[in-house]
Amino acid sequence: MVDPIALVVGPLVNTVLGKVTSLATQKYQLLQGVQEDVKKLISHLTAIQSVIEDAEKKQLDDTQTRYWLGKLQEVVYDAEDVLETFATEELVRQKKQQMDNDINSLSIDLLQSRLLEFLAGKPFLLVLDDVWVSDYNEIEQLLKLLKKGGRGFSIHHCYQVRDNEVREISDRLRHVSFLCNDVETPALKVIDKCKRLRTFLSPSVHRKSFGKALDELFRSLKYIRMLDLSSSTLMELPPSVQKLKLLHYLDLSNTEIRELPNSICSLYNLQTLKLLGCLWLFQLPQDLSELVNLQHLELDDIFWFKASTLPPRMGSLTSLQNLHAFHVSQTSGYKIDELKNMNCINGKLLISKLENAVNAADAQLKDKEKLRNLVFEWSSSNGGQQDEAADETVLEELQPHLDVKELQLIRYKGTRFPSWIRDGLLQNLVSLSFNHCSKCKVLSLGQLGHLVKLDIKGMLELEEWPEARYPSLHRMKISNCPKLRNVPRIFPAMTVLKIKKCESLQILPVTPFLNFLILVDNLVLEDWKETILAIASVNDQGQTVSEQLMSSFLHLIELKLINCPRLRALPEHFAPQKLEISGCPMLSTLPIPQFSRRLQHLSLDACQGGTLVRAIPETDTAYSLVISNISGVTHLPKLPHLTGLKALYIRSCCDLVSLSEEEESSLHGLPSLKFLSIQDCPQLETLPEQGLPANIECLSIGSCQSLKSLGSNNMMKNLTSLTDLYLHDCPALQSLPEEGLPSSLQHLRIESCPLLTKLKIMNIPDLVLEEHIENSPKTQLSSSPWYRRLICLQNVNNNIVEA
């Protein structure tokens, strides 16, 4: 049987020995001690080579194999430490002498090919060390490769510290993690014993302190590769951090660090620097560009916006994969050409202050195939014709790679968009946003077949949007485009549409599958463009199998109308679940009962007279009703039979005197009502003499300055389900009903009702009497859960009306 060590390690040792011997014979300016290590390493490798050749001849037993495996692993570690130290110091020397030598590396393809030659059909022994990856697909690729050999196993020297206890440990330890709060004491013991430690982790989320162990770690563990100091009280790194020349990974997340020392920029092997949750960190070290191997710079999104400037010469970080923001300046080291060779950037990139960009094509965004989300931003400025031309040139030169999926333009001052937008070259776009591009008059986007979301805001000069097909567009928001006269005729996939402050738009597009529609401050909008469509069903062969006639608003489930004074009616065929109307004086009808069978919430606000209130349809599905800012109504019109209504909010009806009409309570048809809120009705004098719905659980009355009575003597007593009663700012209310309060009442709060606070009220578990409250009840806090619930209901009311 052939020895498994010899099969894999033999050829590798031969290669390493040849390489080390070659290095030792060359005259490099090595630091003191390294050259001796190299000579020692040659001796070790020569001995190993002899042992392996002997093993092939004699076939050692398992005990001997394990013994020599341990020895071999120590030497392999030594070899890697020395070679990597050598490579790092050589890089420093080359940088100081500004030499431009190419460093040749082994081809990955060649390495895989040679490995396959060693492993094909054979059993093998594999030692994996210093393997840290964020993408597990890389591990999967490795496993696929190794499956071509026989069975294998790996050996690691790892140790986990729990409960602050360090037992007997070997000086061969390479990887350690601390699952304890007190890290300082056990860390000092490990550092003292294990000088060749490669991994130091402290993954506990509890706040911990490293104390003196940190400086000792930096001074003693010169071979450390992975260092996790996260979730600690660390406020600064000691200068000795620069000694960690071989460090690949440093995690300082969730620490109190305020500034990174510039000495950290000498860690030329650093590939990952994590700074997530560092709330006090506002800038990066000045020489960050020296970290030429940096691939991952992990910071919270907020950092990129609160940092006034980034370090200069960021373009030197050609391996960096995540740069969320770049602020362009005309100063050397901050110009837009810094982006030229940063082709590994992926995800999102914001390029701001583009008014400073010159020769923007030097950014070579076309070559950045991994970028998926781009934001181009100009600073606030009115600008002149020169600025318009400059912005147009810059944006034309910033054409991104065709795989970009999200694009946003902010404060672009050109009068037209670049050709790559007008011609629809970015066919993979799914999201597009124009924010305050205030001088463009025509919105030409080409045919964007995959566009899902479109936002248009503050395009003050936009007049036309030529016809185009957007078969995948689901969500669109258009706001503050006062000159926009028309939009494309049909959006076949639209489900969410919001149009606000488009003061020249008269006609809506056809949207057969629209679910949510919000129309706000559209002063001349008058045509819903309601259409009866023939919807065809097509089989896999492209043949029409059925055809159905359908209204273009039949799928609409939520409609909000605010200040659209030219609208005369609602769509004829639509059955909403949620309907909110405010400031639409020409509307006089609501959906008929046939189309009200799924209505759950209705809000009527800022209407003149009681026409819309009288038009409320009878339905058993309505859950909540808001009536607010209705002027010219002294007596609340009788509400229809709403058997399912649970909550009624009456607010800011300045002329309302009574909740009864024609000697009958307007609330009589609400048998399921649980919550009744009456606020800001200064003329209201009394509650209905006929009483309130018997099932009310919570009653809130506030800012009704003329209210004198809560109804008949036995009205409150008959509310046998009432648990919560809140009275606020009703100065004319003289007394509670003579028959008293119901025994079910658990919570009573009376504020700013001076004639009531002097009453003697008994047998209420939770009673609060306040003669005068300075602050609004909306901002008051209480420890009572019921009161928080009541305030929540009031806020829901406010949000519904004011949204």
Side-chain angles (χ1 to χ4, degrees):
M1 177 180 178
V2 180
D3 178 31
I5 298 178
L7 289 175
V8 175
V9 183
L12 295 179
V13 171
N14 290 336
T15 301
V16 174
L17 180 58
K19 189 172 182 178
V20 175
T21 303
S22 174
L23 292 174
T25 58
Q26 298 179 36
K27 296 181 179 179
Y28 288 108
Q29 299 177 8
L30 303 176
L31 291 183
Q32 184 178 4
V34 176
Q35 199 164 19
E36 291 300 320
D37 285 341
V38 172
K39 292 179 180 179
K40 182 179 179 181
L41 180 59
I42 293 174
S43 175
H44 282 317
L45 291 173
T46 303
I48 292 170
Q49 189 178 34
S50 299
V51 170
I52 292 172
E53 292 173 354
D54 186 60
E56 289 178 327
K57 297 176 181 178
K58 298 182 178 180
Q59 298 188 16
L60 303 177
D61 59 25
D62 287 344
T63 302
Q64 291 172 313
T65 300
R66 287 195 296 271
Y67 173 75
W68 286 110
L69 174 61
K71 290 293 186 180
L72 172 62
Q73 189 175 20
E74 289 302 304
V75 176
V76 171
Y77 279 137
D78 288 345
E80 191 170 9
D81 287 343
V82 172
L83 291 177
E84 200 160 337
T85 300
F86 170 78
T88 300
E89 300 303 338
E90 177 60 16
L91 177 61
V92 175
R93 188 185 68 82
Q94 289 176 349
K95 289 178 68 67
K96 289 180 179 179
Q97 296 183 3
Q98 297 184 347
M99 296 177 63
D100 189 21
N101 296 329
D102 292 331
I103 301 176
N104 296 322
S105 60
L106 289 175
S107 164
I108 294 297
D109 293 337
L110 177 60
L111 183 60
Q112 290 184 356
S113 176
R114 293 196 61 186
L115 186 57
L116 286 176
E117 290 178 8
F118 297 149
L119 299 182
K122 302 173 183 176
F124 65 91
L125 178 147
L126 178 64
V127 178
L128 288 178
D129 183 41
D130 203 17
V131 179
W132 304 98
V133 295
S134 57
D135 186 357
Y136 283 92
N137 289 327
E138 297 176 9
I139 292 293
E140 291 295 329
Q141 294 173 7
L142 175 62
L143 293 177
K144 289 179 181 179
L145 186 65
L146 297 179
K147 286 179 181 178
K148 297 181 183 294
R151 293 178 298 171
F153 62 91
S154 61
I155 294 178
H156 299 270
H157 291 289
C158 306
Y159 188 74
Q160 195 173 75
V161 179
R162 292 180 179 271
D163 302 324
N164 303 325
E165 185 177 352
V166 180
R167 298 183 177 89
E168 182 107 8
I169 56 174
S170 169
D171 57 4
R172 297 162 61 189
L173 183 65
R174 303 291 173 160
H175 313 286
V176 63
S177 63
F178 296 86
L179 300 180
C180 51
N181 295 335
D182 179 16
V183 180
E184 180 179 7
T185 302
L188 286 171
K189 293 180 180 179
V190 172
I191 294 169
D192 182 63
K193 182 75 172 178
C194 310
K195 298 300 185 183
R196 292 189 175 274
L197 204 64
R198 292 183 168 212
T199 302
F200 185 103
L201 302 179
S202 56
S204 173
V205 295
H206 301 291
R207 306 295 283 180
K208 48 191 173 287
S209 173
F210 291 97
K212 298 179 180 179
L214 202 58
D215 187 62
E216 185 64 27
L217 184 155
F218 291 167
R219 294 181 180 279
S220 302
L221 303 182
K222 64 179 180 178
Y223 299 118
I224 198 80
R225 263 73 162 185
M226 185 173 187
L227 181 57
D228 177 8
L229 305 176
S230 63
S231 298
S232 68
T233 58
L234 182 66
M235 297 182 64
E236 62 179 359
L237 288 175
S240 52
V241 67
Q242 63 185 337
K243 294 181 176 295
L244 307 182
K245 298 297 185 182
L246 304 185
L247 191 64
H248 292 176
Y249 176 102
L250 177 59
D251 189 354
L252 301 173
S253 298
N254 298 308
T255 62
E256 299 176 19
I257 195 161
R258 285 162 166 73
E259 184 178 2
L260 293 174
N262 203 51
S263 58
I264 200 175
C265 301
S266 64
L267 306 181
Y268 301 115
N269 286 301
L270 194 63
Q271 298 175 9
T272 299
L273 178 58
K274 296 185 67 173
L275 299 163
L276 299 171
C278 296
L279 304 179
W280 301 103
L281 186 66
F282 297 101
Q283 62 182 8
L284 296 171
Q286 189 72 4
D287 292 332
L288 188 73
S289 61
E290 298 293 319
L291 298 178
V292 292
N293 288 307
L294 192 64
Q295 298 178 22
H296 305 283
L297 178 60
E298 299 188 19
L299 290 151
D300 295 318
D301 287 343
I302 188 64
F303 172 86
W304 300 100
F305 296 98
K306 70 184 180 182
S308 55
T309 59
L310 295 176
R313 299 177 297 281
M314 292 291 289
S316 299
L317 306 180
T318 56
S319 297
L320 191 64
Q321 298 182 22
N322 50 335
L323 177 67
H324 289 191
F326 182 82
H327 311 301
V328 181
S329 171
Q330 296 181 0
T331 305
S332 177
Y334 298 93
K335 296 181 179 180
I336 198 167
D337 60 1
E338 290 292 323
L339 297 171
K340 180 177 182 178
N341 296 316
M342 302 184 75
N343 292 332
C344 293
I345 298 177
N346 57 46
K348 181 178 179 179
L349 172 62
L350 162 67
I351 306 177
S352 65
K353 300 183 180 180
L354 279 167
E355 66 276 7
N356 295 321
V358 179
N359 298 324
D362 290 344
Q364 295 188 6
L365 295 185
K366 283 184 179 181
D367 297 335
K368 293 166 179 47
E369 59 185 23
K370 296 180 181 179
L371 271 179
R372 293 295 179 265
N373 187 334
L374 269 172
V375 181
F376 297 143
E377 182 179 28
W378 286 258
S379 300
S380 298
S381 173
N382 292 327
Q385 291 185 349
Q386 185 176 359
D387 292 329
E388 295 172 6
D391 282 11
E392 291 175 7
T393 300
V394 166
L395 190 55
E396 187 72 55
E397 294 177 344
L398 287 176
Q399 179 178 343
H401 192 275
L402 298 182
D403 284 343
V404 70
K405 293 186 178 296
E406 299 181 46
L407 177 65
Q408 183 176 1
L409 304 185
I410 303 176
R411 290 186 289 275
Y412 169 67
K413 293 181 287 293
T415 58
R416 65 174 189 168
F417 292 117
S419 59
W420 50 269
I421 289 183
R422 298 195 308 269
D423 298 340
L425 295 184
L426 303 181
Q427 282 296 300
N428 292 304
L429 271 182
V430 296
S431 178
L432 183 57
S433 175
F434 302 103
N435 194 335
H436 291 93
C437 302
S438 57
K439 297 190 177 183
C440 285
K441 295 186 176 183
V442 180
L443 187 64
S444 297
L445 304 178
Q447 310 292 334
L448 298 176
H450 295 94
L451 189 66
V452 173
K453 181 181 178 183
L454 176 62
D455 288 345
I456 304 169
K457 180 178 181 181
M459 295 187 67
L460 303 181
E461 298 296 325
L462 181 63
E463 298 177 358
E464 297 184 30
W465 185 354
E467 283 291 333
R469 293 184 66 254
Y470 305 97
S472 302
L473 188 59
H474 285 269
R475 304 175 64 92
M476 181 167 71
K477 295 181 182 180
I478 308 175
S479 63
N480 198 19
C481 298
K483 296 183 179 181
L484 180 63
R485 299 191 301 269
N486 63 280
V487 298
R489 188 179 63 87
I490 186 169
F491 294 96
M494 186 78 68
T495 59
V496 179
L497 175 61
K498 179 178 181 180
I499 301 177
K500 180 178 180 180
K501 291 187 178 179
C502 293
E503 298 164 3
S504 300
L505 187 66
Q506 293 181 302
I507 304 175
L508 291 177
V510 175
T511 52
F513 295 100
L514 192 66
N515 298 144
F516 305 92
L517 176 60
I518 300 175
L519 302 173
V520 180
D521 296 335
N522 302 299
L523 302 184
V524 300
L525 182 66
E526 58 186 7
D527 191 346
W528 293 96
K529 203 63 177 180
E530 186 173 11
T531 307
I532 302 299
L533 302 171
I535 307 298
S537 298
V538 181
N539 60 21
D540 294 339
Q541 289 72 40
Q543 300 170 328
T544 300
V545 294
S546 65
E547 196 169 79
Q548 179 183 5
L549 296 179
M550 184 185 71
S551 167
S552 56
F553 288 102
L554 192 60
H555 290 280
L556 188 62
I557 59 176
E558 290 194 16
L559 173 61
K560 178 184 288 188
L561 300 176
I562 299 177
N563 194 26
C564 296
R566 299 274 293 269
L567 284 175
R568 295 177 177 271
L570 297 176
E572 185 177 351
H573 300 94
F574 93 116
Q577 291 182 9
K578 182 177 181 180
L579 177 59
E580 299 181 13
I581 300 174
S582 176
C584 300
M586 300 185 73
L587 283 179
S588 59
T589 61
L590 294 175
I592 61 177
Q594 177 185 353
F595 291 104
S596 302
R597 294 173 182 172
R598 63 179 184 181
L599 183 64
Q600 297 178 11
H601 171 72
L602 175 63
S603 174
L604 303 177
D605 176 65
C607 302
Q608 178 67 33
T611 304
L612 277 183
V613 177
R614 290 186 175 91
I616 295 175
E618 185 172 303
T619 175
D620 58 2
T621 60
Y623 186 90
S624 61
L625 173 62
V626 178
I627 299 174
S628 61
N629 290 293
I630 308 296
S631 60
V633 174
T634 58
H635 292 74
L636 183 69
K638 183 180 178 181
L639 299 178
H641 202 55
L642 304 175
T643 57
L645 195 71
K646 298 293 191 298
L648 173 60
Y649 306 89
I650 301 173
R651 179 177 180 269
S652 301
C653 296
C654 58
D655 299 319
L656 187 66
V657 174
S658 172
L659 301 181
S660 300
E661 187 178 52
E662 298 178 355
E663 298 184 357
E664 183 178 1
S665 172
S666 300
L667 312 181
H668 180 70
L670 312 178
S672 300
L673 193 66
K674 303 291 185 184
F675 303 100
L676 175 60
S677 174
I678 305 171
Q679 307 292 325
D680 300 315
C681 297
Q683 302 301 320
L684 184 66
E685 296 179 354
T686 182
L687 296 184
E689 291 294 326
Q690 302 85 354
L692 298 175
N695 291 318
I696 284 182
E697 298 177 357
C698 179
L699 175 60
S700 171
I701 303 174
S703 299
C704 296
Q705 288 82 6
S706 300
L707 186 68
K708 300 176 181 178
S709 168
L710 295 180
S712 62
N713 290 335
N714 63 349
M715 192 273 287
M716 295 296 292
K717 194 74 172 179
N718 292 336
L719 298 180
T720 56
S721 298
L722 188 68
T723 59
D724 304 325
L725 176 60
Y726 174 51
L727 303 173
H728 168 76
D729 190 22
C730 299
L733 189 58
Q734 299 177 2
S735 64
L736 296 175
E738 291 182 6
E739 296 291 332
L741 301 172
S743 59
S744 59
L745 193 64
Q746 298 293 311
H747 315 287
L748 174 60
R749 190 177 186 97
I750 300 176
E751 298 173 348
S752 298
C753 302
L755 301 179
L756 295 184
T757 55
K758 298 178 181 178
L759 297 178
K760 189 174 182 180
I761 302 174
M762 306 290 290
N763 302 321
I764 304 295
D766 184 7
L767 174 64
V768 177
L769 299 176
E770 296 286 352
E771 189 165 335
H772 180 68
I773 300 296
E774 293 289 342
N775 298 323
S776 166
K778 299 174 189 175
T779 59
Q780 288 288 313
L781 298 177
S782 171
S783 59
S784 304
W786 75 274
Y787 182 62
R788 290 198 295 270
R789 179 180 64 169
L790 191 57
I791 295 300
C792 179
L793 288 172
Q794 291 176 346
N795 287 337
V796 169
N797 177 16
N798 296 336
N799 292 336
I800 289 172
V801 175
E802 298 171 1

